[in-house]
Amino acid sequence: SQQGEEDPQALSIQEGENATMNCSYKTSINNLQWYRQNSGRGLVHLILIRSNEREKHSGRLRVTLDTSKKSSSLLITASRAADTASYFCATDAEIQGAQKLVFGQGTRLTINP
Amino acid sequence: AAGVIQSPRHLIKEKRETATLKCYPIPRHDTVYWYQQGPGQDPQFLISFYEKMQSDKGSIPDRFSAQQFSDYHSELNMSSLELGDSALYFCASSSPDTLFYEQYFGPGTRLTVT
């Protein structure tokens, strides 16, 4: 079953609003990462939060991690049209003896001008 | 506009050999990231450097090491190469002035271990 599952699958908001995307996972992790991907482009690493961290900030991004609930959230504040993209969480965990980065299905975020 | 430069673009090594990959970030970018993408796999974050200091560490094997130099270029050193190290290695650079500290990816170095 999917290690990383994202919620919602699609989100459409007005420019200037905040966008919150959630990610849940199943196994213990070393860290959780968020990526962005513009349509047809490669993945862009946004931020990494370790399992012993609870919150991290980077520019207009805020990431939280709740290991007891096995969930993370990505908040984008004061959204801009250029933030339109798909956002993926990826968990870095040891699975079957191997370190593995597992991506979720992603949230398609649309910012309407 | 200048982009991230990686060299070499292709590299073939034998098992147990060493390899050095180089990355030249976009001018005025102070942060460098390394990623590994195996065949048919998602990219995996290995390590990053900010102002010549290691800033984040991901799934980088102990056999690999990296550093960022005074001119901000970075080198990924890989020793005791294994067949499983065959992958595309991306370098990316960013600057606090870019959107989301957005990373700009280089074209990658394709490493084949035989």
Side-chain angles (χ1 to χ4, degrees):
Chain A
S1 58
Q2 190 92 5
Q3 165 73 336
E5 296 184 7
E6 296 185 56
D7 160 47
Q9 292 191 356
L11 179 62
S12 180
I13 60 174
Q14 293 300 121
E15 196 167 18
E17 294 181 337
N18 297 341
T20 300
M21 290 159 276
N22 302 300
C23 169
S24 61
Y25 56 92
K26 292 177 168 47
T27 67
S28 297
I29 61 172
N30 297 319
N31 62 64
L32 186 144
Q33 305 172 35
W34 284 90
Y35 288 81
R36 161 198 168 118
Q37 186 173 39
N38 284 9
S39 181
R41 301 283 297 275
L43 288 163
V44 175
H45 179 251
L46 295 176
I47 198 165
L48 181 153
I49 186 166
R50 299 188 186 284
S51 60
N52 62 353
E53 296 176 312
R54 293 295 166 259
E55 186 172 314
K56 208 164 180 178
H57 298 257
S58 178
R60 291 186 289 112
L61 302 180
R62 174 176 169 255
V63 171
T64 63
L65 179 65
D66 188 335
T67 52
S68 66
K69 295 181 180 177
K70 291 187 167 56
S71 67
S72 174
S73 67
L74 173 68
L75 168 68
I76 302 173
T77 61
S79 63
R80 305 169 183 172
D83 298 337
T84 294
S86 291
Y87 292 83
F88 296 85
C89 73
T91 51
D92 186 348
E94 186 171 327
I95 300 175
Q96 295 180 337
Q99 281 310 117
K100 213 173 171 182
L101 190 68
V102 180
F103 284 79
Q105 292 177 329
T107 294
R108 173 71 190 165
L109 176 65
T110 302
I111 308 299
N112 302 305
Chain B
V4 176
I5 297 171
Q6 290 188 247
S7 68
R9 294 292 305 277
H10 302 273
L11 188 60
I12 300 175
K13 290 284 186 178
E14 295 186 356
K15 280 194 305 184
R16 291 179 289 277
E17 285 191 323
T18 61
T20 297
L21 309 185
K22 296 185 179 182
C23 170
Y24 297 87
I26 292 172
R28 294 185 296 280
H29 280 199
D30 51 15
T31 306
V32 169
Y33 310 79
W34 285 98
Y35 295 84
Q36 176 192 59
Q37 186 174 30
Q41 302 294 314
D42 303 313
Q44 289 208 29
F45 171 66
L46 293 178
I47 196 167
S48 64
F49 292 86
Y50 168 68
E51 283 290 344
K52 293 153 278 183
M53 300 286 289
Q54 180 182 308
S55 57
D56 251 334
K57 193 172 181 179
S59 313
I60 185 168
D62 292 339
R63 298 177 290 108
F64 294 7
S65 65
Q67 56 182 323
Q68 186 178 30
F69 295 86
S70 58
D71 63 352
Y72 295 103
H73 95 271
S74 178
E75 294 184 2
L76 177 65
N77 298 295
M78 309 156 71
S79 63
S80 303
L81 287 169
E82 302 173 356
L83 294 178
D85 297 330
S86 294
L88 193 57
Y89 290 83
F90 287 104
C91 167
S93 72
S94 73
S95 148
D97 297 332
T98 56
L99 177 68
F100 285 127
Y101 296 84
E102 187 166 8
Q103 298 177 26
Y104 293 80
F105 281 76
T109 293
R110 184 168 296 281
L111 172 67
T112 303
V113 181
T114 62

